[in-house]
Amino acid sequence: LSRTTGEDAIAAVRQALFPAADAKDFHRSGAALSPDERTLYAADGGGITVIDLASLSARTWHKEWSFDVLAMSPDGERLYARANDAWNSVMILSTRDGAMLGGVRMPSYPMAVLRVDLR
């Protein structure tokens, strides 16, 4: 077998086992509710959608980024989000206006933000 034929065979097996995998985006814990339960923050392939639950009006922050894994600080002042484009970073956003407050560089790919404590 030539190398091209071998690569084609592997691609064919992958497509047979995972036919829609190329079109999927895998999100984990893609939403966070504010402590006062008035605002829902949802991870999106094009930013973070901020939904006012009383009026169901929505706006989007940081449309240039694709986010998943959201966690809210206990005081509701900060949202922690892993940006898919920044593999080893968790971004810290202000929940007032979506301003970037900073980020935490991780030693490896962060799969989840389990808890945020006030200190």
Side-chain angles (χ1 to χ4, degrees):
L1 289 175
S2 72
R3 182 174 180 181
T4 302
T5 303
E7 290 171 359
D8 290 343
I10 291 170
V13 169
R14 183 177 64 94
Q15 184 64 30
L17 293 174
F18 306 104
D22 291 335
K24 299 291 180 186
D25 191 8
F26 185 66
H27 286 276
R28 301 174 265 333
S29 11
L33 184 62
S34 63
D36 63 7
E37 299 183 354
R38 293 181 183 176
T39 309
L40 180 66
Y41 302 86
D44 192 342
I48 294 175
T49 301
V50 182
I51 304 164
D52 177 282
L53 295 177
S55 67
L56 294 180
S57 63
R59 61 192 184 280
T60 304
W61 293 339
H62 302 288
K63 294 178 184 179
E64 70 278 8
W65 292 84
S66 175
F67 291 96
D68 67 8
V69 183
L70 299 180
M72 179 74 57
S73 65
D75 62 4
E77 295 290 320
R78 292 171 314 285
L79 184 67
Y80 295 78
R82 187 181 64 77
N84 289 328
D85 304 326
W87 289 103
N88 292 336
S89 294
V90 174
M91 306 302 197
I92 305 168
L93 307 172
S94 167
T95 56
R96 293 175 196 226
D97 58 7
M100 285 281 190
L101 301 175
V104 178
R105 190 97 170 127
M106 308 303 271
S108 63
Y109 179 78
M111 298 298 287
V113 177
L114 301 177
R115 189 175 82 200
V116 178
D117 287 330
L118 289 177
R119 299 260 174 186

